[in-house]
Amino acid sequence: QVQLVESGGGLVQAGGSLRLSCAVSGRIFSYYTMGWFRQAPGKEREFVAAFRWSAGSPYYADSVAGRFAISKDSSKNTMYLQMNSLKFEDTAVYYCAASRTLAPPPKYDSWGQGTQVTVSS
């Protein structure tokens, strides 16, 4: 397993942008799937975005497609989530996660502690 630490959350006005980071300790194999999830108060955790570390095409939840972008810096073992055109309903704790499964669907077994994103309307 790997260890994940998120950062970059904060308070932003609606329409603004934030970039979250996920620093990964340990070796990331090419077949790992790395993802972002979020959990709003009183709601279940939901998928946001993910991609194969080896350069697979990213995929997004419909609610964030076109506004959020997932990326990585392999030299830094870090994954990012660029969030643009933020909406009030994007307010949540955001988590990064890693899946070691080779075949889909991914089963995430490493999680970060989360970072709070609050969007003011």
Side-chain angles (χ1 to χ4, degrees):
Q1 290 185 322
V2 293
Q3 289 75 47
L4 310 171
V5 178
E6 304 94 336
S7 62
L11 174 64
V12 63
Q13 287 187 334
S17 298
L18 277 177
R19 188 178 78 159
L20 305 183
S21 299
C22 175
V24 184
S25 298
R27 182 175 178 181
I28 307 174
F29 289 88
S30 61
Y31 59 85
Y32 281 20
T33 300
M34 304 296 291
W36 287 96
F37 292 77
R38 67 186 182 184
Q39 187 167 20
K43 296 186 177 181
E44 294 188 353
R45 184 165 56 194
E46 65 175 2
F47 169 78
V48 174
F51 66 167
R52 284 269 190 180
W53 189 256
S54 61
S57 297
Y59 48 100
Y60 301 91
D62 289 344
S63 58
V64 306
R67 300 188 297 122
F68 290 12
I70 193 172
S71 63
K72 68 176 183 179
D73 184 335
S74 298
S75 67
K76 297 180 179 179
N77 250 28
T78 300
M79 175 175 68
Y80 303 98
L81 184 68
Q82 178 66 43
M83 306 185 295
N84 300 322
S85 302
L86 282 161
K87 304 176 181 180
F88 175 75
E89 50 266 38
D90 294 319
T91 296
V93 177
Y94 283 71
Y95 300 90
C96 60
S99 166
R100 297 177 291 171
T101 52
L102 287 168
K107 297 178 182 178
Y108 295 92
D109 57 359
S110 296
W111 293 85
Q113 83 288 351
T115 185
Q116 176 70 47
V117 171
T118 303
V119 184
S120 61
S121 57

